[in-house]
């Protein structure tokens, strides 16, 4: 099974995992299934109308009130997948994810350790861009959800035989584990992992880089020194991801203690802009409006004067203001 | 040896100096690399170590130094950054005499903190020393009991930079009266002056970019930041098997970054015959500018195989196959062998041009897995034409130094049903001072770094047929 | 009593609730202010305390509650935010019965941290509790041994919010298993639900702005941030004796901020007869919009004396004195006293208009100590005309929601020798979570906040005469 | 003596402290003195040419090579004064200063405590906008420099009699003091302060707000509780200004200990933009250049072909490309 995250596809087929783009805030993952329907408040979309169309197609439907509803069918990517996740879960967003991949020097032969898996948003970025991802999750339910998701996404082969054969194996290995307590070494005979190869007594992870997104990363750092965990033949990079500065401080302490050097603390500040066109409002138009008002007032005053002088007059001149508009492109950050 | 992990002969590496400056060096066998005041070393001595290793230069035996074979003779080729600035050439020479190549040894840490002499570690965390600042008016050299002559003597005695600094600190009368901040600054200044270590790093796109930034050469790469470069790779969904249409006015930095993401580590086993990925670069001048690829560790053959280039005209207004064929008459093997040498050369040039033209036609008709543009051309006219051949559900990513340029583009794309959800974004990496007890966001962030526009190519429905 | 420091009858104040919501209330004698689920209190009970005081509402004697004179009768005027949203009016009534006005007592601290029950203070700093998160799948109400009925009972027993929360924490089976982060969230949520305190704050421009922001009404003030508003005041060099030309499309927020900087605390001693400063507001519509000044604590008389308004037309194209005088014939005291009442009224209106017109002419010819503009009119045409009467070496400060608008203006001003060093700037306040042990920059910063252009009006030399 | 920082002036007079604006990075304070000259590399400017001119005047001079040099004469403001300070000193810049003034609710009747004075950049902002500033500096030389500066700037009256008489006294009182050790109370009989009134045994400061810019602000906070220091009749605001997060943490600890509430930690991020015009480079022009190249190449190829066919031809058609330019306004942050 090819993963939609690690190879390109041109035509939508039955069984494909696709992302339905309804709006920026509403992107739904579904598996294309013959004779099923995708229902939105903008209309009903039969899967059969989607099968055979090229990826990226806009699918339109007539709604009951004779208007059009439409959706777009996209092939999943880690970035679109991240957008589709509900905001309530803790997500490593693309601003951070891309910087992390860059600083960890990720390429197609890289072997990555990640703990914990969490919402698996970053795992998908790793899975797309590296050779092998070993990810750890200590929360039982989240582990099972992520395992299921990796399988559905073709990132874990369901009939795998040999994990160390790079051409023919899963991109991702997930282990149910508290790495702070039990470290990173994997023993497929004992551990709850996605590995099917039960005959391996233990596995050389040989990781080139490490990503820790844990409440207390400093408790996990010394476990990286266990045999077989890191690639001893080259420089290994580590990234620890923490919200609080006190956590960073403790992490720096542990990293220094265990011989990590060139430690840098950074924060990624990502912004997204809305652009819009802003009408140019000319001073002359404003002045003309005021002049118009003044003329009318003066006419009124004069009329009242004339009325006072018993001279009747009914003609009121109305003037119309012509306003011309120009537009300027401006940016607007959404809240 | 894998040049993406280990120091290899013939490789381009970044050498980081204690002064925080860096230089790019090609590692040629048997040569000496001179780091100015930080010493000199022999290339051969560092080959085979892991990239990322920090070396210290040391001189073992003062007495034999004059006769040391490591001493550079005038015939040795010396790579050096030191340029005499003015007429005081002789003075300069005296100040920085030709450095003999020292021996090197690995040191574990190159961070400032951990290489502080132990005696000062106790002083630094004393955050209550601020009061004593009251007594400090000016910390001049008169407070320093070691004279420059003493220091030079220590240096000649092959004392390590660390040891010299420790000695200077213990000789400095007012050191303990300084605030922790000025203590820190003092140590850092001294360290940059006397320590003799250097770090050899893999020249990845980030390091190359930092090097250009340090050199003041950042406009050459359109002022792009590392974080902008990295998010470009993610948004463009770069994969080893993809085929990408690229417009790159950064002299190849973006192409290099895409190649690293696609191929890093793959080019070492043979010539990467089994790798499918391809970058198609369209350029607006007669020839492409991929200057910065010379710093990459991809071979010329590998680059030629995976990076195709053609002009915008050839891409947007390709000749017909008929036109191309009308300009070339193929000869048989026999006919060729009968040609005079000069004619034969001309024929092969024509053949190459012919084959290239045919390939260009193919490239101009291919479908692409993504469009990546970093161009100063007017984007609203460029992007729609370049994106015509991008597959549905594939990303278009444009980088620009200026937000206003992308704002204008985004308005155009909003109104065009071939593009889904154009997003204009900015990413900035905020560095912190990373010394425990003194953590703080750094106040001087560089401006610039650029902006990105990201959208998906889509295929609008024909609403007439519903 | 000084309404800038103490809670005063008739004053507009900001009331901050435990939910982090806030409301603006006018403090009218003998009235009751109802804060919905947080209780109700009598205005008279808080008068005279310092602004910035936090009060807790408590109910002393449950048994007498029904007969308590504090109980609101249907005749009492009740200020309330609670609006029935739908048809379930009766249900809503049951859920939030008419709150009797409780007594109030001062509590020292209103920060979340310091009002935590002591029993949880020991739990929170346990940063090692993260492991236990493993066991937590969902913290539902089943883990909470106190039923809603129990809690309601506790509330009826007049237990303080703090005490209820402490009890809930000790009854929560899994509380110690939560990570510190979810512990914190849990406590905060509960606190917002049960605590009955409120804080009375001076309605300074920053609080007013925050209130508008919370209400989603920020576009009314052109999306300006507090920090942009404050830097505007500094860049404009606002002083109590200055005379400022102002164009304010924020409904008076900017005028209010300038007035506070000029006059805060000065308007309480008499009517401020000895204060010279003046704001001249030019507006593009027939009448000025200074709506938000109604929340200020300046009297109408004070405002009238120090804030003059005239239309852009009257400012830029004033009539001549002759024109104004031709439209008015002054009458003698005797003539006036002979007029019929209706005619007399008309005469005084004409007189007022006449006097006003003469004053407008004076204002249009005055010299100003600064120009402050927050307008959506096209600035390149507006600024040069408005700045004509600004003194040399006095600042011009323009606020705009959009940078592009100011970019365009800055180009114009660069090329004009009447303006020195136009600077385009942005200021953003980055808030941190300020709980010890959990300090971090907040991730969700609001967008917007606006931009400023600042320059000095100067007087170019005549180069022909040198 | 009126201070140029607290009242407006229209005409430049002898004795005035003015700022000479040479360029953004070069602003010099001088006192206008008859018969003196102001020398720059752009020319010599006699003070006599400046006296009598209105503030804001551009003063031009002919240089030796018959070009013009010019300067602008500005009245000092706290903001311009801050710009004129050498960058090597630690300065509270206007981005921070204005936010601090706003959060401390400063107005013309406000009484402020500031420690330490430092470069006095913020002191000038306070002096302009508040009723009374008590500022403390523990560094002897900096204290004397600041004292001298406040006197020259008219912010400390040199013949002051009564500091508590608000209408007729100095705006600023500076004290040479380590506030962490000795607190804020002022005893003019013992302290080295700018007060001339030696008969006062002690002074009620009654501060409405406090600004601490000290290496260890937490050591000073308890001294604020001493009698007469703070205004007990109203809410008092405090701002502590620290570079390092660990300092902020200790400060929060001390503030909480001594009963301060509603503590907020913020960072002000100020940016200044350069704007420039960017030429619009059209695709069509680029294509036309390439077409031109191609034509010439083809002509060359055809010519070579014709040459090969022994047909001589010398005519080469040259085409000229007309490029039209348009400009767009862009922003550029300086480094």
């Amino acid at each position: 099974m090819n993963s939609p995250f690690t190879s390109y596809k041109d035509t939508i087929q039955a069984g494909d995992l696709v992302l339905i783009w309804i709006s920026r805030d509403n992107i739904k993952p579904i598996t294309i299934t013959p004779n099923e329907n995708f229902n939105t408040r903008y209309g009903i979309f039969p899967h059969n109308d989607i099968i055979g169309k090229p990826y990226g197609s806009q699918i339109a439907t007539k709604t009951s009130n004779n208007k059009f509803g439409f959706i777009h069918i996209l092939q999943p990517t880690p970035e679109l997948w991240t957008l589709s996740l509900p905001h309530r879960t803790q997500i490593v967003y693309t601003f951070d994810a891309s910087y992390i991949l860059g600083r960890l020097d990720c390429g197609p032969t890289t072997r990555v350790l990640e703990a914990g898996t969490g919402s698996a948003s970053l795992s998908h970025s790793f899975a797309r861009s590296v050779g092998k991802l070993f990810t750890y999750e200590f929360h039982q339910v989240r582990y099972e959800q992520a395992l299921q998701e990796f399988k559905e996404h073709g990132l874990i082969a369901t009939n795998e035989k040999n994990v160390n054969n790079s051409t023919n194996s899963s991109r991702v290995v997930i282990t149910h584990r508290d790495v702070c307590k039990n470290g990173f070494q994997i023993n497929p005979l004992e551990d709850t992992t996605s590995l099917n190869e039960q005959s391996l007594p233990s596995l050389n992870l040989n990781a080139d880089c490490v990503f820790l997104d844990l409440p207390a990363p400093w408790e996990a750092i010394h476990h990286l020194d266990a045999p077989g965990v890191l690639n001893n033949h080259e420089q290994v990079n580590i990234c620890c991801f923490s919200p609080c500065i006190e956590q960073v401080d403790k992490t720096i302490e542990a990293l220094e203690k265990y011989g990590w050097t060139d430690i840098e603390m950074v924060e990624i500040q990502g912004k997204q802009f809305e652009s819009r066109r802003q009408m140019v409002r000319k001073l002359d138009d404003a002045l003309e409006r005021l002049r118009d008002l003044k003329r009318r007032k003066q006419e009124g005053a004069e009329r009242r004067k004339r009325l006072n002088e018993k001279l009747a007059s009914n003609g009121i001149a109305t003037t119309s203001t012509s306003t011309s508009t120009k537009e300027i492109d401006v940016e607007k950050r959404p809240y | 040896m894998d040049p993406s992990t280990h120091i290899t002969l013939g490789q381009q590496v970044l050498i980081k100096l204690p002064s925080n400056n860096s230089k790019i060096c090609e590692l040629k066998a048997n040569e000496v690399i001179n780091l100015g005041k930080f010493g000199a070393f022999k290339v051969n001595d560092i080959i085979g170590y892991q990239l990322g290793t920090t070396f210290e230069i040391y001189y073992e035996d003062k007495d034999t130094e004059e006769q040391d074979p490591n001493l550079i003779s005038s015939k040795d080729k010396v790579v050096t950054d030191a340029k005499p600035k003015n007429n005081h050439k002789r003075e300069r020479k005296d100040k920085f005499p030709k450095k003999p190549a020292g021996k090197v040894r690995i040191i574990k840490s190159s961070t400032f903190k951990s290489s502080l002499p132990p005696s000062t570690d106790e002083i630094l965390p004393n955050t209550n020393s601020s009061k004593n600042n009251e007594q400090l008016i000016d910390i001049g050299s008169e407070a320093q009991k070691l004279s420059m002559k003493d220091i030079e003597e220590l240096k000649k005695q092959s004392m390590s930079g660390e040891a010299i600094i420790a000695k200077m600190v213990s000789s400095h009368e007012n050191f303990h009266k300084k605030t922790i901040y000025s203590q820190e600054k003092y140590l850092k200044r001294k360290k940059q002056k006397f320590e003799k270590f250097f770090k050899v790093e893999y020249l990845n796109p980030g390091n190359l970019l930092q090097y250009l930034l340090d050199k003041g050469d950042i406009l050459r790469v359109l002022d792009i930041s590392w974080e902008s470069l990295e998010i470009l790779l993610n948004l463009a969904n770069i994969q080893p098997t993809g085929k990408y249409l690229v417009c790159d006015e950064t002299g190849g930095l973006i192409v290099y970054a895409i190649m690293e993401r696609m191929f890093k580590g793959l080019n070492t086993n043979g010539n990467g015959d089994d790798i499918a990925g391809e970058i198609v670069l369209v350029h607006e001048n007669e020839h492409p500018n991929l200057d910065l690829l010379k710093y990459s560790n991809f071979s010329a053959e590998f680059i030629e195989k995976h990076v195709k280039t053609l002009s915008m005209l050839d891409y947007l207004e390709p000749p017909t196959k008929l036109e191309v064929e009308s300009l070339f008459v193929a000869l048989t093997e026999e006919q060729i062998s009968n040609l005079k040498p000069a004619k034969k050369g001309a024929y092969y040039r024509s053949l190459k041009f012919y084959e290239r033209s045919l390939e260009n036609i193919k490239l101009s008709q291919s479908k692409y897995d993504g469009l990546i543009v970093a161009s100063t051309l007017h984007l609203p006219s460029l992007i729609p034409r370049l994106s015509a051949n991008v597959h549905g559900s594939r990303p278009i990513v444009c980088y620009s130094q200026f937000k206003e340029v992308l704002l204008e583009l985004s308005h155009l794309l909003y109104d065009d049903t071939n593009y889904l959800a154009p997003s204009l974004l900015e990413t900035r990496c905020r560095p912190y001072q990373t010394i425990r007890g003194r953590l703080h966001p750094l106040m001087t962030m560089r401006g610039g770094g650029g902006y990105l526009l990201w959208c998906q190519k889509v295929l609008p429905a024909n609403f007439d047929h519903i």
Side-chain angles (χ1 to χ4, degrees), chain A, chain B:
Chain A
M1 178 188 173
N2 274 334
S3 166
F5 290 92
T6 60
S7 57
Y8 294 104
K9 239 191 145 189
D10 296 345
T11 307
I12 306 160
Q13 291 173 299
D16 280 4
L17 172 78
V18 304
L19 289 176
I20 309 275
W21 182 289
I22 302 160
S23 68
R24 268 175 207 265
D25 301 324
N26 196 0
I27 305 167
K28 295 258 179 264
I30 64 164
T31 300
I32 296 294
T33 314
N35 306 322
E36 285 199 357
N37 287 326
F38 181 74
N39 298 308
T40 73
R41 57 192 185 97
Y42 309 104
I44 295 163
F45 300 86
H47 288 205
N48 291 356
D49 287 0
I50 297 170
I51 294 169
K53 290 250 170 39
Y55 270 99
S57 288
Q58 185 184 45
I59 309 289
T61 192
K62 234 175 199 154
T63 57
S64 52
N65 51 359
N66 230 5
K67 290 181 177 172
F68 288 110
F70 60 85
I71 54 176
H72 284 93
I73 317 295
L74 302 179
Q75 186 183 344
T77 70
E79 289 68 37
L80 294 172
W81 182 256
T82 299
L83 286 180
S84 79
L85 291 173
H87 289 297
R88 60 189 157 69
T89 50
Q90 283 209 2
I91 301 171
V92 179
Y93 287 101
T94 299
F95 288 112
D96 289 302
S98 54
Y99 184 78
I100 292 163
L101 262 71
R103 290 306 300 263
L104 295 181
D105 248 341
C106 289
T109 61
T110 310
R111 297 166 74 87
V112 184
L113 294 190
E114 180 196 41
T117 314
S119 67
S121 56
L122 182 62
S123 312
H124 281 78
S125 285
F126 278 130
R128 184 251 324 268
S129 301
V130 305
K132 197 85 182 175
L133 170 68
F134 297 97
T135 184
Y136 302 78
E137 175 56 52
F138 73 163
H139 189 294
Q140 175 77 35
V141 173
R142 282 202 297 265
Y143 161 73
E144 276 161 14
Q145 282 169 347
L147 174 63
Q148 180 64 19
E149 200 174 280
F150 290 136
K151 283 180 177 169
E152 285 169 11
H153 294 183
L155 297 169
I156 289 178
T158 43
N159 55 353
E160 181 168 24
K161 281 284 164 268
N162 188 347
V163 74
N164 276 329
N165 178 341
S166 69
T167 56
N168 193 23
S169 72
S170 297
R171 190 69 69 100
V172 175
V173 172
I174 184 169
T175 304
H176 178 218
R177 173 83 68 81
D178 178 355
V179 293
C180 294
K181 211 188 287 169
N182 300 316
F184 297 89
Q185 288 173 306
I186 297 175
N187 182 338
L189 299 175
E190 293 172 12
D191 288 319
T192 314
T193 74
S194 64
L195 291 172
N196 292 331
E197 187 51 77
Q198 304 282 323
S199 61
L200 278 173
S202 91
L203 187 66
N204 268 345
L205 306 176
N206 280 337
D208 307 302
C209 58
V210 181
F211 175 77
L212 301 182
D213 180 3
L214 299 168
W218 54 90
E219 295 176 353
I221 286 163
H222 69 280
H223 291 300
L224 293 168
D225 294 340
V229 173
L230 300 185
N231 184 343
N232 279 326
H233 305 299
E234 59 180 72
Q235 181 179 348
V236 172
N237 295 332
I238 187 169
C239 170
C240 304
F241 191 74
S242 298
C244 297
I245 291 157
E246 290 87 350
Q247 291 172 298
V248 174
D249 184 54
K250 284 186 187 164
T251 304
I252 297 172
E253 184 182 23
L255 287 172
E256 287 180 345
K257 185 174 169 191
Y258 292 102
W260 297 83
T261 64
D262 296 296
I263 301 163
E264 282 176 49
M265 168 180 180
V266 304
E267 183 201 348
I268 299 299
Q269 300 181 329
K271 288 186 203 169
Q272 195 149 345
F273 303 101
E274 270 174 27
S275 66
R276 40 157 121 150
R277 305 215 121 150
Q278 178 79 356
M279 206 181 68
V280 173
R281 297 176 55 240
K282 288 186 189 161
L283 174 63
D284 283 344
D285 295 336
L287 290 178
E288 190 50 39
R289 266 187 287 114
L290 288 166
R291 275 187 213 108
D292 191 33
L293 268 167
K294 191 178 174 181
R295 272 193 293 270
R296 292 196 211 185
K297 268 192 177 171
Q298 282 188 346
E299 280 163 9
E302 282 163 20
R303 199 167 63 250
R304 281 195 298 278
K305 200 178 164 194
R306 287 195 294 274
L307 278 170
N308 282 345
E309 298 166 351
K310 310 291 171 198
L311 288 165
S313 162
N314 285 318
I316 300 170
T318 59
T319 58
S320 71
T321 311
S322 78
T323 59
S324 65
T325 58
K326 201 186 112 186
E327 288 188 333
I328 184 170
D329 298 330
V330 296
E331 61 102 333
K332 174 80 193 64
R333 275 186 67 196
Y335 291 95
Chain B
M1 214 151 22
D2 183 347
S4 74
T5 58
H6 288 76
I7 302 171
T8 315
L9 274 179
Q11 184 177 23
Q12 301 271 3
V13 295
L14 189 86
I15 294 189
K16 280 196 178 167
L17 302 174
S19 57
N20 279 332
N21 288 327
S22 56
K23 55 187 290 180
I24 292 178
C25 293
E26 193 179 341
L27 302 179
K28 294 188 183 158
N30 307 320
E31 279 191 1
V32 166
I33 289 179
N34 191 334
L35 304 176
K37 59 184 170 180
F38 302 110
F41 67 93
K42 294 197 283 185
V43 166
N44 294 6
D45 287 350
I46 64 165
I47 298 301
Y49 289 101
Q50 295 170 17
L51 283 157
T53 302
T54 300
F55 299 94
E56 184 173 14
I57 299 174
Y58 68 103
Y59 297 88
E60 243 173 4
D61 188 349
K62 190 192 168 285
D63 298 327
T64 61
E65 196 173 271
E66 299 306 311
Q67 298 82 28
D68 198 313
N70 287 340
L71 186 67
I72 301 165
S73 79
S74 56
K75 278 166 282 176
D76 280 334
K77 194 180 166 194
V78 176
V79 184
T80 175
D81 263 3
K83 284 170 255 168
K85 271 186 191 155
N86 45 32
N87 293 343
H88 308 287
K89 212 171 176 176
R90 183 158 299 278
E91 274 174 53
R92 217 187 143 70
K93 238 181 178 172
D94 292 338
K95 215 171 162 191
F96 294 113
K98 256 187 194 164
K99 273 280 177 334
K103 291 206 163 59
V104 296
R105 60 184 161 213
I106 295 172
I107 61 176
K108 196 165 165 64
S109 158
S110 67
T111 53
F112 169 62
K113 178 73 196 309
S114 41
S115 61
L116 279 183
S119 61
T120 64
D121 260 0
E122 283 155 36
I123 299 166
L124 279 176
N126 175 18
T127 46
N128 294 324
S129 68
S130 58
K131 284 172 195 162
N132 298 316
N133 197 5
E134 190 176 2
Q135 297 154 21
L136 275 186
I137 291 156
D138 183 35
I139 309 135
S141 52
E142 66 273 17
Q144 178 52 261
K145 285 184 168 172
L146 285 184
S147 69
M148 268 319 286
K149 211 175 142 197
D150 294 334
I151 294 167
E152 284 305 318
E153 202 53 45
L154 289 172
K155 279 159 82 180
K156 281 193 194 136
Q157 286 164 28
S158 290
M159 217 178 191
S160 75
E162 278 192 22
I164 294 177
I165 292 166
K167 193 133 191 166
M168 287 181 75
V169 163
S170 63
S171 311
H172 194 301
E173 277 188 337
N174 286 331
F175 189 84
H176 66 283
K177 290 187 190 164
K178 286 168 180 273
T179 61
I180 49 163
Y181 307 103
S182 53
Q183 282 175 16
E184 187 188 309
K185 266 187 205 154
Y186 179 85
L187 288 171
K188 192 156 187 173
R189 218 167 48 224
K190 294 300 168 201
K191 174 177 168 297
Q192 290 176 353
K193 210 162 160 185
F194 297 109
E195 292 214 327
K196 285 207 194 83
F197 62 71
F198 65 95
K199 190 176 181 196
V200 182
E201 291 205 356
Y202 180 66
L203 196 51
N204 62 22
N207 276 334
L208 179 53
L209 189 54
Q210 187 60 46
Y211 174 79
L212 294 172
L213 191 63
D214 293 344
K215 287 265 177 218
D217 225 5
I218 193 72
L219 289 182
R220 179 179 174 185
V221 291
L222 302 180
D223 197 29
I224 197 170
S225 65
W226 195 1
E227 53 272 26
S228 291
L229 186 60
E230 290 300 337
I231 203 169
L232 177 150
L233 298 179
N234 266 34
L235 294 176
N237 191 27
I238 301 296
Q239 298 180 17
T241 56
K243 184 166 184 171
Y244 305 106
L245 190 62
V246 177
C247 194
D248 179 5
E249 278 183 34
T250 66
L253 180 71
I254 287 173
V255 169
Y256 182 32
I258 297 173
M259 287 185 77
E260 284 279 292
R261 183 57 64 88
M262 292 173 83
F263 306 128
K264 184 183 180 234
L266 292 182
N267 57 324
T268 53
N269 317 322
N271 55 4
D273 269 350
D274 53 339
I275 308 168
E278 197 172 55
I279 295 168
V280 176
L281 181 86
V282 291
H283 48 87
E284 63 165 302
N285 295 313
E286 192 177 3
H287 301 290
N289 173 6
L290 291 171
D291 272 3
L292 293 175
L293 283 191
K294 71 177 177 223
Y295 295 122
S296 86
N297 288 297
F298 293 104
S299 66
E301 298 71 37
F302 191 90
I303 293 171
E304 201 175 345
K305 184 165 157 35
H306 294 283
V307 182
K308 311 289 185 203
T309 68
L310 75 169
S311 80
M312 262 179 206
L313 187 68
D314 286 336
Y315 181 79
L316 291 174
E317 300 176 9
T320 61
K321 220 171 167 178
L322 218 67
E323 282 176 290
V324 171
E325 279 166 354
S326 74
L327 286 168
F328 179 73
V329 181
L331 303 182
T332 62
E333 287 290 331
E334 203 190 326
Q335 285 173 310
I336 295 168
S337 60
N338 287 339
L339 287 175
K340 288 174 200 161
K343 287 268 176 189
K344 197 183 268 182
Y347 175 78
Y348 278 121
R349 276 194 298 280
S350 294
L351 175 64
K352 202 178 160 189
F353 181 78
Y354 167 75
E355 284 171 341
R356 176 105 205 226
S357 297
L358 288 183
E359 194 189 6
N360 284 352
I361 292 173
K362 222 177 72 197
L363 293 174
S364 71
Q365 292 163 350
S366 291
K367 287 281 191 177
Y368 289 93
D369 294 318
L371 170 66
I372 296 108
V373 174
S375 168
T376 59
L377 281 174
H378 185 231
L379 297 176
S381 52
L382 181 66
I383 300 303
R385 297 196 64 184
L386 287 184
S387 61
N389 278 349
V390 176
H391 265 300
S393 193
R394 303 286 202 274
I396 294 168
V397 185
C398 296
Y399 169 80
S400 174
Q401 184 181 354
F402 302 114
K403 184 160 57 179
E404 292 75 12
V405 168
L406 295 179
L407 268 175
E408 195 186 347
L409 174 64
S410 75
H411 281 302
L412 181 86
L413 301 187
Y414 274 128
D415 298 339
D416 187 331
T417 52
N418 287 292
Y419 307 94
L420 182 64
S423 298
L424 181 51
L425 45 92
E426 174 193 334
T427 180
R428 293 287 180 270
C429 177
R430 183 88 197 270
Y432 280 63
Q433 173 169 298
T434 314
I435 301 172
R436 291 190 69 216
R438 291 182 285 289
L439 295 174
H440 65 75
L442 289 176
M443 297 303 142
T444 48
M445 238 175 114
R446 86 173 182 95
Y451 301 86
L452 292 131
L453 184 135
W454 177 50
C455 66
Q456 304 291 320
K457 178 77 185 298
V458 289
L459 310 163
N462 186 340
F463 284 85
D464 299 338
H465 290 244
I466 296 157

